Structure formats: structure tokens, C-alpha cells
Amino acid sequence: MTTIAALPLPTLLGERCLLRDFDPSDAAAIQRHADDEAVWRNLFEGFPRPYTMAHAREWCSGGSRNPAMGWVWCVDREGEAIGCIGLRPDAGWLRCNAEVGYWIGRAHWGRGIASEALAMVTQWVWFALPELTRLYAPIYTTNEASQRVAERCGYTLEALMRKSAIKAGRVIDRVQYAIYRPDDEASQG
Ligand SMILES: CC(C)(COP(=O)(O)OP(=O)(O)OC[C@H]1O[C@@H](n2cnc3c(N)ncnc32)[C@H](O)[C@@H]1OP(=O)(O)O)[C@@H](O)C(=O)NCCC(=O)NCCS
């Protein structure tokens, strides 16, 4: 049986961006875009701050390919690495679920790039990963832009998860958005 983790990372081409594997040469651009309080503020607790060149080199030279993280793409805009989008399947009896996460460098916000990237990854999942039936995105309640991205891609609000995470020492509320495999494409894992 083919395990989904054994599939190679596909390159996905859109009108606004290209999703591809990271390369060591992306480190300087990633460090520049990631070392930003406005990016860090809405990401998980462990996202580095400051985001140094050492972090960027490690990430772009193989760190993003850690199998525990599932699939991780570099968001490429005209040859420049400007962000990241990832898909991490859950394990065991929850293996039909996967979490999506993304960030885009502030200089490129508001151009529909995150929306296109999430739409491409979502469509690729329905096409290539028949075991997955639900994709979910936990988003801070204060992060209206990310909620809008999820909505634009067909994700719907599943739940308000009050006091469900800690960021910078503060307990915060999150909402969970999700999308489901169209019924006629459902399969059993
Ligand atoms: C959230 C984020 C990924 C959006 O990236 P982006 O490429 O600018 O997103 P898009 O341009 O595709 O869409 C953004 C949408 O949010 C809307 N938006 C932006 N700021 C907003 C705000 N403060 N309040 C409400 N909506 C907002 C935009 O108008 C747009 O919607 P529209 O096209 O219907 O007008 C980007 O801001 C980011 O990386 N932020 C920091 C990290 C982060 O939050 N990651 C997501 C964690 S769940």
C-alpha cells in the first residue's frame, strides 16, 4: 500500500504564485519575510522570533522536509520565496484529517496569493490523496485576513475554540475552519 507520506512534493503553478520545494538559496528571502512581528503574531507559538539566518538556512536546507510535518511548499512569486504553506495529516484513526497552515511576507499581502495557494493545495489533496476527507485550519479569532482566505477557498466555520492555545504567554481563542471532500470523491483509507 502506498503511504501518503511517500509521495513526492508536487510543484503547483497558479497565476499569482508557484508552490515548490524550498531550496538553500531561498534562505535570505525567507529570513527577510519571516522576521516580522506581523507574520509571527498570527502563527503558532514555536515560530521563531527573531527569525534569524540560521533559522532560515536550516528550514530551506531540509528542515521543511521533516516527514513529521507532512507536505511543506515554498510560496514563490516571480522567483522569490515569499512564504510557506503546509499540509500535515493526522495519525491513526484520525488520518483522514489534515491541518493546513500558511504565511505570506507582508510586502505581498492583499494580492490574493494566500487564497490561491490554499486553493491549489486543497484541490491537489482531493486529486492526489484519496485517504484525506477533511482539511482544517485553526485560526486566531483576531486574524480576520486568514479567516477570509479560508472562506474564499470554500472552508466553513466549524467551531469557536475558546482558550485553546497559548501565544506569547497569553491564552487565546481560535476558530476552526474546515473543508470536506466532495461526497462523490470519498474513499476509505
Ligand atoms: C493571512 C495571510 C496569509 C493572508 O495572505 P494574503 O496573501 O494577503 O491573502 P489574500 O490576499 O489571498 O486574501 C486576504 C483576504 O483577507 C482580507 N483582509 C486582509 N486584511 C484584513 C483584515 N484586517 N480584516 C478583514 N479582512 C482582511 C483581504 O481583503 C482579502 O479578502 P478579499 O480578497 O475578499 O478582499 C497573511 O496576512 C499572513 O501571512 N499573515 C501572517 C501569518 C498568518 O496569519 N498566517 C495564517 C495563520 S492561520
Side-chain angles (χ1 to χ4, degrees), residues 137-166:
I139 302 172
Y140 298 177
T141 51
T142 49
N143 191 351
E144 294 182 26
S146 185
Q147 293 175 56
R148 182 76 191 118
V149 168
E151 285 168 355
R152 286 185 64 176
C153 294
Y155 290 61
T156 53
L157 180 65
E158 270 191 335
L160 167 62
M161 304 187 295
R162 293 191 59 216
K163 306 185 185 199
S164 62
I166 299 171

Side-chain angles (χ1 to χ4, degrees), residues 16 36-44 82-84 100-106 108-117 137-140 142-150 152-153:
R16 296 174 175 80
D36 182 343
E37 202 273 341
V39 169
W40 167 87
R41 183 191 308 143
N42 287 303
L43 295 176
F44 63 98
I82 63 160
C84 181
V100 292
Y102 40 84
W103 67 264
I104 300 293
R106 196 196 318 204
H108 298 273
W109 287 1
R111 299 179 188 173
I113 296 173
S115 299
E116 180 176 76
I139 302 172
Y140 298 177
T142 49
N143 191 351
E144 294 182 26
S146 185
Q147 293 175 56
R148 182 76 191 118
V149 168
R152 286 185 64 176
C153 294

Side-chain angles (χ1 to χ4, degrees), residues 40-53:
W40 167 87
R41 183 191 308 143
N42 287 303
L43 295 176
F44 63 98
E45 173 75 355
F47 193 80
R49 178 95 187 119
Y51 197 106
T52 66
M53 269 308 287

